[in-house]
Amino acid sequence: MKDLIWIFGYGSIIWKTDFPFISESTGYLNGWIRRFWQASPDHRGTPEAPGRVATLLPSRTGGCWGKLFLLEADVQNQVLVNLDYREKGGYQRMLVDVATPSGESVKAVTYWGSQQNEHFLGPKPTLEMARQINDASGPSGSNRDYLFQLEAALQQLEHPDRHVTLLANKTRGLMRR
Ligand code: SIN
């Protein structure tokens, strides 16, 4: 029998899950934090005016809440091929240990934009990141929509992320001007 594969999503994969799965769960990835430090030249921006989307940064003290999806055995290879294409803007697959609410740990594939990838932007002051997000838009929609959908999805999971909330509040402030 084929080993079943879990996917761990911490960004758009949480709320834009465009693949079939047999079960889902909240998951916690210890030792990594979510940051809007990855450029999006292909989904939420353009090569000339890239957006800012989420990636994972190693952290000695933090962790990241997201969602686990268990893939169906007979489509898992195709799902991975499709996700590789969707996440091609600098992300690579990484195998991680994710804790489930029941205290189990599962091995999962996550898509990570390392600090070495060509689209890694790194940190900027919150206002500067919010301005970039407020202005950017690409083939998958506005960068604001990505940020607000992620904020809402994390609230729904009952695990809001301070970094995401701060950025969303700052971006809403710019919209009211
Ligand atoms: C993810 O959602 O887990 C990866 C980053 C993204 O596509 O937003």
Short mmCIF file of all heavy atoms in Angstrom, two decimals, residues 53 60 142 151:
data_model
loop_
_atom_site.label_atom_id
_atom_site.label_comp_id
_atom_site.label_asym_id
_atom_site.label_seq_id
_atom_site.Cartn_x
_atom_site.Cartn_y
_atom_site.Cartn_z
N VAL A 53 3.90 37.79 0.05
CA VAL A 53 3.13 36.66 0.54
C VAL A 53 3.91 35.94 1.64
O VAL A 53 5.03 36.32 1.97
CB VAL A 53 2.74 35.71 -0.63
CG1 VAL A 53 1.72 36.37 -1.54
CG2 VAL A 53 3.96 35.28 -1.42
N ARG A 60 13.75 29.89 17.07
CA ARG A 60 14.10 29.07 18.22
C ARG A 60 12.93 28.94 19.21
O ARG A 60 12.80 27.96 19.92
CB ARG A 60 15.28 29.70 18.96
CG ARG A 60 16.50 28.80 18.96
CD ARG A 60 17.57 29.48 19.72
NE ARG A 60 18.28 30.36 18.80
CZ ARG A 60 19.59 30.34 18.61
NH1 ARG A 60 20.33 29.53 19.32
NH2 ARG A 60 20.17 31.13 17.75
N SER A 142 -5.93 40.34 -5.91
CA SER A 142 -5.17 41.40 -5.23
C SER A 142 -4.38 40.80 -4.07
O SER A 142 -4.78 39.80 -3.47
CB SER A 142 -6.11 42.50 -4.74
OG SER A 142 -6.84 42.03 -3.62
N GLU A 151 -5.91 36.16 7.11
CA GLU A 151 -6.28 36.64 8.45
C GLU A 151 -7.60 35.98 8.90
O GLU A 151 -7.70 35.47 10.02
CB GLU A 151 -6.46 38.16 8.40
CG GLU A 151 -6.81 38.76 9.75
CD GLU A 151 -7.27 40.21 9.64
OE1 GLU A 151 -7.89 40.58 8.63
OE2 GLU A 151 -7.00 40.96 10.59
#
